[in-house]
């Protein structure tokens, strides 16, 4: 059974992941409204990924017989100026989530909660990828802010096609 302090923080992180989901939906809608289907699809996909992260955490708590508490979340930033601001927000969000994931791992270590530490390892790897992806995207969007076709071409060429990660934790409610 996970350490009590870790379980409390993981329940809070479920809310953080769901808030990230909502923020990515808002970003996707922004790009959809700008008729940028590649950027919209990228962020709709990111939203689903954040939801899946929350559900992986739910499944871990269920598997370890810990009460799951789904916290409420604040509303996302609903609108943006231009094409750069949403990606800036996305990168800041990924950096913040990385700090949260690192804090969870730190707690697991402090509590000698080895199973929870092992569970968090996948999320550490995932956050490295997420920050790198958003950093690269931000560089491209800043460089091409006046040419959305170039942004769309980059996303179409560079994003997606990763497939399923067999090492990922199980998703609650997943097939």
């Amino acid at each position: 059974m996970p350490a009590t302090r870790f379980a409390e923080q993981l329940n809070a992180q479920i809310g953080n992941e769901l808030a990230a989901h909502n923020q990515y939906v808002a970003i996707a809608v922004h790009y959809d409204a700008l008729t940028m289907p590649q950027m919209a699809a990228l962020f709709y996909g990111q939203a689903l990924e954040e939801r899946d992260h929350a559900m992986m955490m739910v499944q871990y708590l269920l598997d370890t017989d810990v009460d799951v508490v789904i916290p409420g979340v604040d509303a996302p930033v609903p609108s943006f100026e231009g094409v750069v601001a949403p990606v800036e927000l996305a990168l800041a969000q990924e950096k913040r989530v990385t700090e949260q994931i690192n804090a969870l791992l730190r707690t697991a270590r402090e509590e000698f909660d080895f199973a929870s530490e092992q569970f968090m390892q996948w999320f550490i790897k995932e956050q490295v990828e997420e920050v790198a992806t958003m950093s690269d995207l931000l560089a491209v969007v800043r460089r091409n802010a006046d040419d959305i076709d170039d942004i769309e071409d980059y996303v179409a060429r560079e994003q997606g096609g990763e497939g399923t990660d067999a090492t990922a934790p199980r998703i609650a409610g997943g097939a």
Side-chain angles (χ1 to χ4, degrees):
M1 188 164 176
T4 301
R5 191 164 63 109
F6 177 84
E8 290 170 355
Q9 288 177 350
L10 192 60
N11 270 309
Q13 189 62 31
I14 291 167
N16 295 336
E17 300 291 335
L18 293 173
H21 166 270
N22 291 347
Q23 187 60 69
Y24 280 144
V25 169
I27 291 171
V29 167
H30 172 77
Y31 287 118
D32 237 353
L34 293 176
T35 317
M36 295 179 72
Q38 297 297 326
M39 287 289 280
L42 171 72
F43 282 100
Y44 284 128
Q46 287 295 123
L48 291 174
E49 202 172 282
E50 299 303 332
R51 181 220 171 259
D52 285 351
H53 293 170
M55 299 310 288
M56 289 171 183
M57 294 171 184
V58 166
Q59 188 64 55
Y60 179 74
L61 293 172
L62 290 170
D63 287 346
T64 56
D65 202 29
V66 173
D67 289 337
V68 177
V69 179
I70 307 298
V73 299
D74 293 333
V77 174
S79 59
F80 305 92
E81 288 293 322
V83 296
V84 176
V87 183
E88 289 174 334
L89 178 64
L91 177 58
Q93 176 174 278
E94 290 300 342
K95 288 180 177 180
R96 186 172 52 257
V97 169
T98 297
E99 291 171 6
Q100 294 162 347
I101 295 298
N102 289 341
L104 276 159
L105 181 68
R106 189 175 315 108
T107 297
R109 283 189 176 166
E110 289 170 358
E111 298 290 329
F112 301 104
D113 183 352
F114 304 114
S116 295
E117 181 177 343
Q118 187 277 330
F119 171 71
M120 294 310 301
Q121 291 297 325
W122 183 86
F123 292 96
I124 297 290
K125 173 186 69 91
E126 178 71 6
Q127 283 310 119
V128 169
E129 294 171 9
E130 295 295 334
V131 170
T133 297
M134 286 303 153
S135 293
D136 290 350
L137 183 60
L138 181 57
V140 169
V141 170
R142 282 180 174 157
R143 187 170 52 240
N144 297 292
D146 294 328
D147 190 345
I148 61 172
D149 289 334
D150 279 352
I151 296 169
E152 289 286 279
D153 288 346
Y154 169 81
V155 174
R157 183 178 65 249
E158 299 295 327
Q159 304 300 316
E162 294 168 0
T164 305
D165 181 350
T167 66
R170 287 187 318 133
I171 299 169

